[in-house]
Amino acid sequence: MPPNTTATTGDKPAKSGRKKGRKARLIVLVLVLAIIGGIAYGAYWSISTVRASFPQTKGTITLQGLSGPVDVKRDGNGIPQIYASSDEDLFMAQGFVQAQDRFYEMDVRRHMTSGRLSEMFGKSQVKNDEFLRTLGWDRIAKQEYDTKLSASTKRYLDAYAKGVNAYLQGKDGKDISLEYAALSFTNDYTPQPWTPVDSISWLKAMAWDLRGNMQDEIDRALMTSRLGPQQIQDLYPEYPYGRNKPIVQEGQYSELSKTFRQSGATGSSQSTGTTGTTGTSGTTGGAKGTSGGTTGTTRSSTSGATGSALTSQLGGLYNVLDNVPTAVGVNGQGIGSNSWVVSGRYTITGKPLLANDPHLSASLPSVWYQMGLHCRTVSSSCPYDVTGYTFAGMPGVIIGHNVNIAWGMTNSGVDVTDLYLEKVTANGYLYDGKVRPFKTREETIKVADGSAKTIVVRQTQDGMPLLSDRDDELVQVGKKATVNTAAPDRGDGYGVALRWTALDPGTSMDAVFALDKAANWSEFRQAAAQFDVPSQNLVYADTDGHIGYTLPGKIPTRSSVDDGSVPAPGWQSKYRWTGFIKQDELPYEFDPARGYIVTANQAVVDKAAYPYTLTADWGYGTRSQRIADLIESKIKDGGKISTDDMRQMQLDNSSEIAKLLVPKLLKINLDDKNVRQAQKLLEGWDYTQESDSAAAAYFNAVWRNILKLAFGNKLPKELRVKGQCLWVDKIDSTGPVDDNTKVRECGQRDADQAQPDGGDRWFEVVRNLMDKPDSDWWKTPKSGTRPAATTMDQLFARAMIDARWELTAKLGKDIDTWSWGRLHRLFLKNQTLGTDGPKVLQYILNRGPWKLSGGEATVNATGWNAAGGYGVVWVPSMRMVVNLADLDKSKWINLSGASGHAFSAHYTDQTSKWAKGELLPWSFSAGAVDKSTSDTLVLKP
């Protein structure tokens, strides 16, 4: 035992959830490694090596720094509930327990957020580190700790770090995790002590993956090389307010907009507020305009900055962004979530029910960590009695409930980022006709298998990092970027800088602890106001029967010349942000008359009724409206909703695009009997995407081919799948060359991030074009024996043919053997060595596949990218249903398990249940926790 970590029970330290089969599995592991890697290598990977890092979950451990004993009670799934008599003991124990289960994951995360991955994984990560150092997440986190956070939050962060370090004390890498044992063959890396800043930095990674419309901003600019303004507008249609309702339909914004209209103001007006406490007020400006300005680069939602050189520049930027390691999502692509709350008047219990399932990229272990934090006696000195989901590496609970309230989160998608072109000179950058010097700093990147590298980071005076410094291509194409005559001489070219709310110090960590102890709606709103980055939709319910919604966050306002949709000219101050929306002017609802609130990344408010533009790039409301319809169908004629009804809604597999297209597809005449046989699968299909459904498999293949033929083959190479090559019209700096010259272009994006991805934006695109059956979008050339198409029906027929033979190649000619689950599979991969490590390590660390139901833009959102294939890209990363009438009857599930140790019984013990849509009991009260406890560990001073 390491110093200060001594077992004092008479029995040997017990391990959680030991199974009879574990020893056999470990022996098999050793034999496999011995065969593959050689006898000496296999001998090193002994049973003791594999088991060395498993946590002690019974008995007693002494930890210096505790003021009193702490009980850690784990249930049969290894989920811990912690009981302490002081708040600092509670969070110190949280740090110790999370490190027991997940320290390797925590260590990788902090190296990512600080731009130090090269220290662990070598020179392959230098480019990532350069980019992350340029963003400077850890520097901002340090400023938050030093200048923004409350004294109590800093105490909790310090206590948490103390607990993590108590776990680390005296341990070698192999004693912490199997991954460290693997790293030791090529790297003498030793984990360093945990710091409070390491915990804060993770919120920056979370904010990066939930950063709003930055990818749409890039994509629209990239499209200008091949598509005209109207074509781009076709691909970014207006939000269908008349069909898919926004979140807030009755609420605070109504009075605000009434005053706004009475004043005669317009969307381009400006007003100035008084700067106050961070997170509650600030300087406000007018809403975004709806069109770009007339000087500098063109900036609008349809045309954007023009020129092939600029297109290439932004393509280079995308490549840099694409290489940033995934934190909690698919690098901003496809991020979504469901959360809804139903008033007690519509529930069986008479009290509210609240459901949440955030949609994030699949990882192993899951991004979430389940636990409970309980003060033995709740008081002002120890105010916590809370349970739910948090991140390993961060104290507190992010989503869950306490004894009084419950809350859920979905990404709001508001526009909190802007890209700026900068006229860079030898002495700085141009701003309103004058050259300003950059702020600079040096960053030294240590490399595990090579020499250290020093980079210079440049920032504008208002703190925007110059991202183009991190990619040579950006420098070269910046010399050729096409802008209009009002722009400054290109000289050495244009750079690209980023303005992002998360690059300002904030108070989100304060918000976490305030949410955890909030006792009512007022305290909840006050707590939420401190959650400045990332901006989230928060739904609320309490044991008194109230429900609510609030949109917190630091959300910028822009002048009338700037709508935030494409990169702006940085040399003109009028394109800079004008301020931030005051917290008391952000939308919320409390106890709406309709009796429920749904948030699923749809528009927050109707744009006609709200004076500020939050974004033009909402999700299109397919999931949210389906959830609302399910609720309405359940409560009509006096029906009531149960906890299990909420669970069943989470599993709804209905395809809204299938409802639109299948009637049309069934009317198409097909000559090939094999294709007609596949077409017949759609007859009588109920549009649900069960894993065993052959109809779902065929329809999704047809949908994928419709998108490819109508749109995908017409997009620029920067948006298409890497390696997929086409002969396309030649283009030059002015656009397509009209001389029938063809060139071969190959796609440049990873398959899980290419376009068209098939989400509900594309549902809306196709819905609008179905009224235009002769649109140019429906035209596609002949390919081999496949016929050309000039109308919608002809393209649909071609897609049905292509889909039949695609599935024949993938699943076999016999359609009786087809199923959606054979195509739509989930693989869980360790995000470091399980992705890029030796094959034997990938075999050890990864799990799967699971055949899944659900699909893109369904409530059961097992997302897939139609441009790249059918495999599962992102998932409901957890599911929960909170019963406010009896909190012990709440239910929850995680994607993987509590443990990050590859051969722990709790590594993926929840995954099969998750895949089936099952939920686990969620004990909260002391009596319920005791009843469900399997192992108890006492931490004593």
Side-chain angles (χ1 to χ4, degrees), residues 31 59 101 125 156 250 276 387 516 635 641 649 699 773 822 865 938:
L31 290 174
D101 284 335
Q125 296 300 314
Y156 298 155
E250 317 158 32
T387 180
D516 287 354
I635 64 178
I641 295 175
M649 291 178 193
F699 172 77
R822 288 180 62 195
N865 185 299
V938 177

Side-chain angles (χ1 to χ4, degrees), residues 848-912:
W850 287 268
K851 298 176 180 179
L852 297 189
S853 302
E856 190 75 14
T858 62
V859 181
N860 184 18
T862 54
W864 55 287
N865 185 299
Y870 304 97
V872 177
V873 175
W874 47 275
V875 295
S877 54
M878 62 81 158
R879 296 187 184 101
M880 74 176 197
V881 179
V882 182
N883 183 331
L884 276 299
D886 186 344
L887 293 168
D888 288 329
K889 291 183 179 177
S890 302
K891 304 285 186 179
W892 63 352
I893 197 80
N894 204 357
L895 173 62
S896 59
S899 180
H901 300 289
F903 286 91
S904 164
H906 305 307
Y907 191 48
T908 56
D909 59 334
Q910 298 185 52
T911 309
S912 292

Side-chain angles (χ1 to χ4, degrees), residues 670 672-679 681 697-698 701-702 705 786 797-818 870:
L670 298 163
D672 189 318
K673 66 177 182 180
N674 292 299
V675 182
R676 290 201 307 272
Q677 182 187 31
Q679 183 186 36
L681 290 172
Y698 182 59
V702 174
N705 280 278
R786 303 286 199 272
R798 166 77 177 273
M800 296 175 78
I801 295 169
D802 288 356
R804 175 32 159 139
W805 298 114
E806 180 188 0
L807 293 197
T808 297
K810 292 180 182 296
L811 303 179
K813 188 174 182 179
D814 183 0
I815 65 173
D816 290 336
T817 67
W818 290 3
Y870 304 97

Side-chain angles (χ1 to χ4, degrees), residues 62-82:
T62 299
L63 295 185
Q64 286 188 350
L66 289 175
S67 64
V70 176
D71 296 328
V72 181
K73 301 179 179 183
R74 293 179 183 260
D75 66 11
N77 291 100
I79 300 169
Q81 303 281 341
I82 300 175

